[in-house]
Amino acid sequence: MSILKEVYLYFANGLFFKAQSFGSEGTFVGEVVFNTSMSGYQEVITDPSYTGQFIVLSMPEIGIVGANNQDRESSRAACTGVIVSSYNDFTSNFRSEQSLSAYLKEHNIMGICGVDTRGLIKMLTIQGAMMMIASTELTQECELKAHLEHTPPIQDIHFIKEISTKASYAHTDSIFDFAHFDYGTPPHFRAKVIAIDFGAKRNILNELIAVGLEVEVMPHNFSAADILSRFKAGEIQGVFLSNGPGDPLVLHNEIEQIKQLIQSDVPVFGICLGHQLLSIAHGYPTYKLKFGHHGSNHPIKNLQSGAVEITAQNHNYCVPESIAQIATITHRNLFDGTIEGVRYKDKPIFSVQHHPEASPGPREARMLFEEFAKLCCARK
């Protein structure tokens, strides 16, 4: 049984209050955002794109399904902490291997409960995402404020070099039971692609394999010259740019390498951060949304088919409308009209802001992986 401790929270807007801690103890600083998913909290917590952030979960009751080793989206801790209304230490799920409290402590993630999450989310929608500090050690408002003021803002931190793989590797694992999905049995490899790891979710790599793509994962500090040499030699047929945390504008070296990639005719597919980096590399800088899009129930309009797709989302940044000068806008967010997908004119390059691999969330947009596979096969 998890023993709750007192934890003190201080926000950049001056809000200060006491709650209870059920995760790792200590002093933690990060940007606070909210997620509207009703399920899949373990996948959310382990999504590398949440690095450096506290996640306010809108689902009021959290913890009953516990945690297990299969539902993680990365091998290491991702978010800084989670904030919930009511935490349940008792688990009632045949797949549970440990309580959420034990899982958070194992991965050094803070868990905070006993919070009016409805009120907190309302504050964030009005005032926007902001930095906060939470501590089981510091109890005075002045102490917390001073500590927070000496912490660099999230947009100045280069998270990618901490979470990206350190060496290239072949991704062969898959959590899919192919017999229960519409891809049928595992296909033979149709083409080989390089996946650049800016904080890639495991399920993205699984989806690439599911459509018959052999996947080699490379670190964030990749060499475009090396990739293009292998593409010209016929060793690979495409490049995938993954999701990841933080402000894309701080990734100067990565952007320079992508600029070299897009000068060639190599097929490129980007998701989330990869989508943003492609925009910047083409000369169209991203901008920060007020409180971002985080959840597994966000509607978008597929402008090519006319269909409305419910999607998983996790981003604070967006590409500008001016990108329509060089790319066709393929998807739009139906909450605020922002761009959710583009296809570059006269180039084998496309990208989306949402997460077609879901996890958690619906799989209505997963055929984008098949589109990428066809694009790569055309280059063999």
Side-chain angles (χ1 to χ4, degrees):
M1 181 70 181
S2 176
I3 299 176
L4 302 181
K5 293 194 65 173
E6 290 185 344
V7 58
Y8 293 82
L9 285 68
Y10 180 83
F11 293 75
N13 65 353
L15 177 64
F16 170 70
F17 61 87
K18 180 176 67 174
Q20 295 178 306
S21 168
F22 64 92
S24 188
E25 298 175 13
T27 300
F28 295 77
V29 180
E31 182 181 48
V32 57
V33 297
F34 65 91
N35 184 290
T36 58
S37 297
M38 294 292 101
S39 63
Y41 61 73
Q42 187 179 351
E43 292 94 324
V44 169
I45 290 169
T46 56
D47 180 348
S49 294
Y50 280 113
T51 301
Q53 294 179 321
F54 285 95
I55 312 166
V56 182
L57 297 177
S58 62
M59 178 66 180
E61 299 287 336
I62 295 294
I64 194 68
V65 299
N68 62 67
N69 195 47
Q70 286 72 46
D71 290 343
R72 58 184 174 81
E73 284 298 322
S74 61
S75 59
R76 53 171 291 173
C79 68
T80 300
V82 290
I83 303 175
V84 307
S85 175
S86 177
Y87 168 66
N88 298 283
D89 199 57
F90 171 76
T91 62
S92 180
N93 175 13
F94 75 98
R95 298 178 67 242
S96 175
E97 297 171 356
Q98 60 186 145
S99 69
L100 177 59
S101 174
Y103 186 84
L104 295 184
K105 290 176 181 178
E106 180 182 320
H107 292 274
N108 196 34
I109 299 174
M110 177 166 271
I112 302 169
C113 63
V115 175
D116 176 11
T117 51
R118 184 183 179 91
L120 196 53
I121 290 172
K122 185 175 182 180
M123 181 189 80
L124 294 173
T125 59
I126 295 172
Q127 300 183 32
M130 65 185 72
M131 296 293 287
M132 66 160 279
I133 180 172
S135 179
T136 57
E137 305 165 322
L138 307 177
T139 62
Q140 301 300 310
E141 180 178 354
C142 58
E143 293 179 296
L144 294 166
K145 180 180 179 182
H147 197 298
L148 183 61
E149 289 176 345
H150 285 87
T151 301
I154 194 169
Q155 60 266 25
D156 293 344
I157 303 175
H158 193 306
F159 291 109
I160 308 300
K161 56 188 176 184
E162 299 176 14
I163 64 172
S164 177
T165 181
K166 305 306 179 188
S168 297
Y169 68 92
H171 179 82
T172 57
D173 296 335
S174 177
I175 59 173
F176 278 109
D177 178 359
F178 288 95
H180 290 81
F181 288 86
D182 57 3
Y183 290 129
T185 56
H188 296 294
F189 288 137
R190 300 150 64 186
K192 181 174 182 178
V193 299
I194 298 293
I196 306 301
D197 178 19
F198 300 123
K201 291 176 64 179
R202 185 171 68 161
N203 209 39
I204 288 179
L205 303 179
N206 292 340
E207 288 280 8
L208 291 171
I209 289 179
V211 294
L213 294 175
E214 184 179 359
V215 179
E216 178 182 339
V217 183
M218 276 191 176
H220 71 100
N221 55 347
F222 67 98
S223 165
D226 175 58
I227 289 178
L228 292 176
S229 174
R230 294 178 62 184
F231 173 69
K232 291 176 182 177
E235 295 178 23
I236 63 168
Q237 287 75 47
V239 176
F240 171 76
L241 304 178
S242 85
N243 62 296
D247 189 338
L249 291 173
V250 306
L251 305 179
H252 305 295
N253 294 332
E254 291 80 358
I255 292 168
E256 287 304 313
Q257 296 303 310
I258 294 173
K259 284 181 179 179
Q260 295 181 43
L261 285 180
I262 63 178
Q263 296 304 315
S264 70
D265 59 348
V266 59
V268 181
F269 175 31
I271 288 178
C272 202
L273 180 63
H275 165 77
Q276 298 160 12
L277 291 172
L278 280 168
S279 176
I280 299 169
H282 279 91
Y284 294 82
T286 51
Y287 65 94
K288 189 170 185 178
L289 296 166
K290 187 175 182 179
F291 49 82
H293 301 157
H294 311 276
S296 58
N297 44 16
H298 291 229
I300 66 168
K301 180 73 173 290
N302 185 324
L303 302 181
Q304 297 173 306
S305 67
V308 174
E309 300 169 351
I310 307 302
T311 65
Q313 309 231 353
N314 181 18
H315 61 278
N316 279 1
Y317 300 87
C318 196
V319 306
E321 290 293 328
S322 56
I323 202 169
Q325 298 174 30
I326 62 165
T328 300
I329 299 173
T330 58
H331 302 78
R332 281 199 179 275
N333 189 291
L334 291 180
F335 282 151
D336 59 10
T338 52
I339 295 173
E340 288 284 349
V342 298
R343 185 176 298 275
Y344 289 86
K345 299 175 182 177
D346 303 320
K347 292 184 178 181
I349 302 173
F350 71 102
S351 61
V352 292
Q353 185 60 76
H354 54 282
H355 283 263
E357 85 290 346
S359 190
R363 305 181 184 278
E364 297 177 15
R366 68 189 301 199
M367 288 309 295
L368 289 168
F369 292 100
E370 176 62 23
E371 289 186 29
F372 181 49
K374 290 179 178 178
L375 199 60
C376 293
C377 290
R379 301 284 165 163
K380 288 192 76 173

